[in-house]
Amino acid sequence: MMKLDVTWVTDRAAMAELAAAYVCTSLRGGLTTSLALPTGDTPIGMYERLAERCRRGEVSFRNAKLFNLDEYAGMPPENPRSYHAFMRRHLIDHVDVRMEQVRLLRGDAPDAEEECRAYDRAIAAVGGIDLAILGLGANGHIAFNEPGVPWDLDTHVVQLDQRTRRAHRPNFPDEASVPRIGVTMGIRTLKAAKKVLLLCAGVGKREAMAALLAGREDHAWPVTSLLGHKDLSILAEEALIPR
């Protein structure tokens, strides 16, 4: 059993402040820094604060290389529901990063498997991921690595779990239009990141958080693959403290 160092926060606003400060620290120093970035409700506050700090000149993304964690398979970048559009809407269009420094997964690539390999090559070309920022799914997924997905994969195509699809249903006009397939950085890629920042928010994540805090690897809960990472930081809402 592994003991984890968790910083408990009162709410998402407090989490956003701490997460933004953590990212700013990683970006300072003038060195090129590669970031793997999440989507979803949890990181939006962090992105807002990063954009504010960039506007004030407190941090710069000029030396950053940006990657996103995942994308819906078949989704073109211009679709407002794509994760490509999400990243532009919430971060990329509001900071001083050039688009040639950004490599986002193409959900609409004609050959998804080749897109995965090209993505892995792009990550390798910058020396791997320096900081992977992850959210936590209710079923324990990190990126789109669902329960039962092998932990020795790099970027890959994955069938989305029904629980994941239900969580994403509010973003689509009807249940039938919720994507069933995703493309995602694999757990091997995430575990190879030099630093990992895990953001845990929402009462629906209690079971997944409990599995992580149990300190035992369990393939039913992909987040437990991070146990033993040499530089894992966890920010979690107090609502997720085990009762």
Side-chain angles (χ1 to χ4, degrees):
M1 180 174 176
M2 304 175 192
K3 183 172 177 57
L4 294 170
D5 183 15
V6 181
T7 298
W8 298 100
V9 297
T10 54
D11 53 29
R12 294 195 188 199
M15 178 180 292
E17 288 289 348
L18 288 175
Y22 186 100
V23 175
C24 288
T25 298
S26 297
L27 289 172
R28 292 188 181 115
L31 299 176
T32 299
T33 303
S34 55
L35 305 178
L37 300 170
T39 53
D41 292 337
T42 301
I44 289 176
M46 175 188 71
Y47 291 143
E48 290 173 347
R49 284 155 180 80
L50 286 171
E52 290 169 5
R53 291 183 182 215
C54 189
R55 283 194 294 270
R56 295 198 298 260
E58 297 173 8
V59 70
S60 174
F61 284 76
R62 285 191 295 270
N63 292 319
K65 302 287 187 179
L66 306 186
F67 298 86
N68 62 336
L69 294 174
D70 43 22
E71 180 59 278
Y72 297 121
M75 186 78 74
E78 60 272 17
N79 188 312
R81 297 185 178 91
S82 73
Y83 285 169
H84 186 287
F86 177 100
M87 292 309 310
R88 294 206 61 156
R89 187 163 59 245
H90 292 288
L91 182 69
I92 293 168
D93 290 348
H94 306 286
V95 297
D96 58 344
V97 66
R98 299 183 306 275
M99 285 309 296
E100 56 263 35
Q101 299 166 237
V102 178
R103 175 60 164 97
L104 304 180
L105 277 162
R106 290 290 303 240
D108 64 341
D111 185 333
E113 294 295 342
E114 175 51 33
E115 170 66 359
C116 291
R117 302 291 71 77
Y119 206 61
D120 290 336
R121 290 193 294 271
I123 293 169
V126 299
I129 299 298
D130 292 310
L131 171 60
I133 306 169
L134 307 175
L136 175 62
N139 63 358
H141 74 225
I142 47 176
F144 270 156
N145 292 284
E146 302 282 24
V149 168
W151 290 3
D152 60 351
L153 299 179
D154 294 312
T155 308
H156 61 280
V157 178
V158 63
Q159 183 168 340
L160 300 183
D161 186 84
Q162 284 302 313
R163 196 168 178 183
T164 298
R165 294 186 69 242
R166 284 196 299 271
H168 293 203
R169 167 64 183 85
N171 300 323
F172 292 86
D174 51 54
E175 185 176 350
S177 61
V178 180
R180 298 178 181 274
I181 305 292
V183 186
T184 184
M185 278 190 194
I187 285 176
R188 180 160 63 184
T189 306
L190 300 177
K191 290 182 69 174
K194 296 177 181 68
K195 297 180 180 181
V196 175
L197 176 62
L198 178 65
L199 308 178
C200 309
V203 293
K205 317 294 177 63
R206 280 178 178 159
E207 195 175 2
M209 191 72 194
L212 179 62
L213 294 175
R216 293 183 295 273
E217 291 186 352
D218 183 348
H219 279 73
W221 298 98
V223 68
T224 64
S225 66
L226 300 175
L227 293 167
H229 190 280
K230 61 185 182 298
D231 196 340
L232 170 64
S233 299
I234 303 172
L235 298 177
E237 286 186 309
E238 291 176 353
L240 299 181
I241 296 175
R243 302 295 187 228

